[in-house]
Amino acid sequence: MKRVVVATVLIMLALELLLTIPLMLLTPIGPTILGSLNPTPTPTPQPVLSASGQTPPTLKSPVSYLLDADTNDVLDNVRGNERLPVASTTKIMTAVIALEKSQPDQIVTVKDDAVKEVKDNFGSTADLKAGDKVRMIDLLYGLLLPSGDDAAIAIADTISGSPANFVKVMNTYAHKLHLNNTHYINPDGLTYYTGTDKKPDPNEYSTAADLAQLTRYALRNPIFAQIVQIQHYHLPATADHGAYNWDTTDDLLQAYPGTIGVKTGFTLEAGSCLVFAAKNARHTLIGVLLQGKDKNDRFTDAPQLLDWGFNLPLKAPTPTPTPIQK
C-alpha cells in the first residue's frame, strides 16, 4: 500500500514539474531577476543644439549666446536667459541714451563725482580731470574704448543731472526695448556693495540674450557703430581739456577679420565678459560671452562661435527695432 502511495506522489510531482517548465519559458524575465546581471545603461547626454540643429562649439566661457542680427534668429544659447552681473557691457546702454538724448557737440563738464567713481570702486578710467570740458562725441570714445567709468558718470550728470536720475532713464529704456531681464543701478556696470556685510547689490543684472538685443538696437546708430570698431582715438588738447589717447580694450578687433565691435567688461562678480559683432559678405552676427574665468578665453571663444555661426544656413532678414521716442 505504501508503495502505491509513494508512486502516486512521485507521479503528481512529475506532472507539476512538466507543467511549470513551459510556463517559465513563456514568462518574460523581469528586471528584478536580470537587474544585477544586466543593469540598465545610463543614457548618453545629448549635445546642445542650435535652432538649425547644428551642434555649437564647446567653449570655455560658461555663458554664451549667438544671434543672427539680420534675421533675429538665436543660433546658440547656453544660459543666455540667466540674470547675471554684466560689468562694463552696461555702457552699451549708456552710449545709446547719450546718442539719443544729446547732441554730438554738446559740452560735458567733468565733475568730481566722475573722478571719484573710479577711485572709490576700482574702476577703469579714461583719465578725465575734474573741470575738463569735452564734447559728447569725444567723451563717447572715452566711454567705449578704454571703458571709462569716469566718462559714464560725466555723461549721466550732463544728461540727467545725476547718475541716479540717469539710471531711471536706463531702466525706462530697458523696459521699452523689452529687455525684461535687465535692471541697472549705475551707468558703468561697476559692482556696488550694500549693507554692513558689503555684499554685491543684486539689483544690477542683465542676460546674454538681452545684451544681444540691446546691441542689435545700438548698432543701428551709425555713430555708435563707428565708435565701437575704432581701436585708437586721439583727442588733441584744447583750452578746455588736456590731450587724451584712448585705446580699445577689445582685442577681437585685431584678431578676427570682420569684427565690428562691441564691448568688453570685467568685475570679480561678472567675470570676463564680451559683447561682440562681426559681419561677412552674407550677414552680421552678434555674440555674448559672460562669466569667463580667464580674460583671454573670451578672445579665443568668440572666433570659434563666429566661425560656426557664419557656416550655418541663412534665412531671410527681419526688421530691427525702431528708435525709442525721445
Side-chain angles (χ1 to χ4, degrees), residues 166-176 182-185:
F166 187 79
V167 165
K168 295 177 183 178
V169 180
M170 295 173 75
N171 288 319
T172 298
Y173 260 66
H175 175 72
K176 290 182 177 180
T182 295
H183 189 269
Y184 301 106
I185 62 170

Side-chain angles (χ1 to χ4, degrees), residues 247-289:
D247 294 311
T248 184
T249 57
D250 189 355
D251 293 348
L252 197 65
L253 288 166
Q254 287 185 329
Y256 193 87
T259 300
I260 55 174
V262 174
K263 190 71 191 73
T264 63
F266 175 80
T267 63
L268 292 176
E269 292 74 22
S272 287
C273 307
L274 180 65
V275 178
F276 54 99
K279 63 181 180 179
N280 64 7
R282 302 193 305 160
H283 59 158
T284 301
L285 300 180
I286 296 171
V288 182
L289 301 170

Side-chain angles (χ1 to χ4, degrees), residues 114-126:
V115 178
K116 191 170 182 288
E117 174 80 351
V118 174
K119 293 181 180 179
D120 290 354
N121 298 290
F122 306 100
S124 51
T125 182

Side-chain angles (χ1 to χ4, degrees), residues 11-311:
I11 291 170
M12 292 177 65
L13 290 173
L15 289 172
E16 182 178 354
L17 183 60
L18 289 172
L19 291 172
T20 303
I21 290 175
L23 290 174
M24 291 178 64
L25 293 174
L26 293 172
T27 302
I29 299 176
T32 55
I33 297 175
L34 287 183
S36 58
L37 299 177
N38 186 23
T40 303
T42 302
T44 303
Q46 296 300 308
V48 177
L49 298 180
S50 74
S52 64
Q54 303 296 317
T55 305
T58 300
L59 307 176
K60 293 182 180 179
S61 301
V63 180
S64 62
Y65 195 86
L66 189 66
L67 181 75
D68 188 318
D70 300 323
T71 65
N72 207 30
D73 284 336
V74 178
L75 306 179
D76 179 43
N77 183 355
V78 178
R79 295 173 57 189
N81 300 103
E82 183 176 338
R83 292 179 174 182
L84 296 165
V86 295
S88 286
T89 61
T90 296
K91 292 171 181 142
I92 297 171
M93 178 64 86
T94 299
V96 165
I97 296 172
L99 287 165
E100 294 190 1
K101 288 191 169 293
S102 68
Q103 297 299 318
D105 289 334
Q106 183 173 347
I107 299 300
V108 177
T109 300
V110 180
K111 299 179 180 178
D112 289 332
D113 63 338
V115 178
K116 191 170 182 288
E117 174 80 351
V118 174
K119 293 181 180 179
D120 290 354
N121 298 290
F122 306 100
S124 51
T125 182
D127 293 320
L128 300 176
K129 306 294 188 293
D132 276 358
K133 292 179 173 61
V134 184
R135 293 188 312 159
M136 180 67 73
I137 182 63
D138 295 319
L139 200 56
L140 283 169
Y141 284 92
L143 174 77
L144 294 170
L145 270 65
S147 197
D149 296 321
D150 42 3
I153 298 300
I155 289 170
D157 284 339
T158 299
I159 291 176
S160 300
S162 70
N165 287 336
F166 187 79
V167 165
K168 295 177 183 178
V169 180
M170 295 173 75
N171 288 319
T172 298
Y173 260 66
H175 175 72
K176 290 182 177 180
L177 288 171
H178 306 291
L179 309 180
N180 298 322
N181 290 303
T182 295
H183 189 269
Y184 301 106
I185 62 170
N186 59 41
D188 50 33
L190 283 173
T191 303
Y192 285 178
Y193 299 93
T194 61
T196 56
D197 53 0
K198 298 297 182 182
K199 289 186 177 180
D201 190 327
N203 295 307
E204 174 86 5
Y205 57 81
S206 187
T207 67
D210 278 5
L211 277 169
Q213 290 298 332
L214 173 61
T215 301
R216 186 175 185 239
Y217 177 84
L219 287 172
R220 293 183 69 253
N221 188 300
I223 298 177
F224 179 90
Q226 173 187 321
I227 293 172
V228 295
Q229 62 182 308
I230 295 295
Q231 298 183 41
H232 176 80
Y233 188 74
H234 172 67
L235 181 61
T238 70
D240 293 323
H241 59 76
Y244 288 104
N245 289 285
W246 293 316
D247 294 311
T248 184
T249 57
D250 189 355
D251 293 348
L252 197 65
L253 288 166
Q254 287 185 329
Y256 193 87
T259 300
I260 55 174
V262 174
K263 190 71 191 73
T264 63
F266 175 80
T267 63
L268 292 176
E269 292 74 22
S272 287
C273 307
L274 180 65
V275 178
F276 54 99
K279 63 181 180 179
N280 64 7
R282 302 193 305 160
H283 59 158
T284 301
L285 300 180
I286 296 171
V288 182
L289 301 170
L290 303 176
Q291 292 286 307
K293 302 301 180 184
D294 188 308
K295 288 186 177 182
N296 293 320
D297 287 346
R298 54 189 169 174
F299 298 124
T300 56
D301 282 348
Q304 294 182 60
L305 199 56
L306 287 170
D307 284 344
W308 174 79
F310 280 130
N311 286 317

